[in-house]
Amino acid sequence: MPKKIVAGNWKMNNDLSQTETLLKDLKKQVIPEDVTVMIAPSFTNLFKAFESTREHPIQVIAQNMHQSQKGAFTGEVSAGMLKSVGVQTVILGHSERRAYFNETDDLLAEKINTALENNMQAIFCIGEELRDRESGDHYEVIQNQLKNGLFHVSNDSWSRIMIAYEPVWAIGTGETASPQQVQEMHHYIRETIAKQYDRNIAKNVSILYGGSVKPGNAKEIFAKKDVDGGLIGGAALNAEDFMAIINAFG
Ligand code: PGA
């Protein structure tokens, strides 16, 4: 069975005191036992967030990391550094990283290897742009992102990989893919994994949806058969909204 996961991607929001306030509010809430909740604060707040959730089921994860183990890469953060502050999971290939920081499939393939070599888990993000969907190429784009960025990993590695399907046109735009569109693509992703690997791996991998998930639409999206959770941006910055989304799933 895939794990049910709701992950909050805080992006470049929340300084230290805002991080503390949001965490204080989240920690007051009861998290449904069958849902794994993750939050991804900025690098500077990971340690504080990890310390503050030590006794709490919320997992603290990173938004990105560098592909090298260490060295002369000014401004970058390594897997080892993340692990040393308690982080076990990293988001890789978010569309904002792909679009604004030129992260290519080849680079992401390296980052996935680094995460796996360091025994970390990864949430691997994929998603088509509006022009791909309008031209009917969205399945091909998704297939290529999977093939070029992810499908070199071994069968065993899949227990540490999650996928987030995030159509770029739905991120931060208030526009959500319809539950039907989400289900169709999640099903396609699962089938593509089954063809490349095997049905068991495909059945067990958690496939999250991301793109303007809100308390008002979460239930309908999470109810779809191949949706195992969500990667939440804007709505994860507000404890009440984030909890409502988690509870839409529990
Ligand atoms: P959004 O972001 O929920 O604000 O659309 C989702 C994401 O980028 O992960």
Side-chain angles (χ1 to χ4, degrees):
M1 278 280 284
K3 269 190 293 185
K4 290 185 184 181
I5 298 164
V6 178
N9 174 11
W10 290 5
K11 309 191 180 184
M12 199 172 74
N13 295 294
N14 290 336
D15 63 16
L16 183 59
S17 79
Q18 290 163 328
T19 297
E20 285 174 324
T21 307
L22 183 46
L23 278 173
K24 208 167 114 208
D25 291 343
L26 286 176
K27 286 193 300 183
K28 284 187 208 142
Q29 314 287 332
V30 179
I31 292 181
E33 258 177 38
D34 58 340
V35 182
T36 300
V37 174
M38 304 177 176
I39 52 154
S42 61
F43 287 137
T44 53
N45 297 317
L46 285 174
F47 183 57
K48 187 76 199 175
F50 178 76
E51 289 280 298
S52 134
T53 53
R54 242 180 222 288
E55 310 290 324
H56 197 275
I58 292 176
Q59 292 181 20
V60 175
I61 71 172
Q63 298 175 17
N64 179 36
M65 67 174 201
H66 195 263
Q67 65 275 20
S68 299
Q69 303 289 357
K70 65 173 187 166
F73 300 104
T74 302
E76 292 293 328
V77 169
S78 72
M81 291 169 184
L82 294 177
K83 288 186 73 180
S84 74
V85 295
V87 171
Q88 298 290 345
T89 303
V90 60
I91 299 172
L92 293 177
H94 190 279
S95 66
E96 286 149 20
R97 300 294 319 168
R98 291 176 187 260
Y100 309 141
F101 302 95
N102 303 321
E103 296 203 356
T104 60
D105 289 339
D106 287 350
L107 174 75
L108 293 169
E110 281 187 59
K111 289 195 176 196
I112 274 283
N113 290 345
T114 305
L116 295 172
E117 281 161 20
N118 283 277
N119 275 319
M120 292 179 76
Q121 302 193 100
I123 300 179
F124 189 76
C125 302
I126 52 179
E128 83 282 1
E129 293 187 34
L130 186 57
R131 61 169 182 266
D132 305 321
R133 188 160 276 269
E134 284 174 346
S135 63
D137 294 333
H138 44 299
Y139 289 114
E140 198 183 322
V141 168
I142 293 299
Q143 188 183 50
N144 285 336
Q145 289 176 345
L146 286 169
K147 279 207 165 127
N148 300 332
L150 194 57
F151 278 0
H152 61 284
V153 303
S154 68
N155 287 31
D156 291 351
S157 303
W158 279 89
S159 57
R160 283 183 284 129
I161 291 171
M162 294 149 272
I163 291 183
Y165 168 57
E166 301 203 297
V168 178
W169 48 275
I171 296 179
T173 57
E175 191 159 336
T176 332
S178 71
Q180 188 54 31
Q181 286 173 320
V182 175
Q183 168 56 26
E184 276 167 12
M185 188 56 91
H186 280 222
H187 180 71
Y188 176 77
I189 293 166
R190 219 181 280 286
E191 284 302 306
T192 307
I193 297 168
K195 270 190 209 137
Q196 180 77 20
Y197 289 87
D198 66 48
R199 194 145 292 280
N200 213 32
I201 286 177
K203 202 177 88 194
N204 288 319
V205 64
S206 294
I207 307 177
L208 321 183
Y209 169 75
S212 299
V213 178
K214 306 281 177 225
N217 60 22
K219 215 176 180 75
E220 231 191 323
I221 295 169
F222 291 163
K224 291 294 175 192
K225 182 169 169 285
D226 286 297
V227 178
D228 306 308
L231 183 54
I232 320 299
L237 298 173
N238 176 290
E240 217 173 288
D241 287 352
F242 191 49
M243 273 318 296
I245 292 170
I246 294 164
N247 287 322
F249 206 18

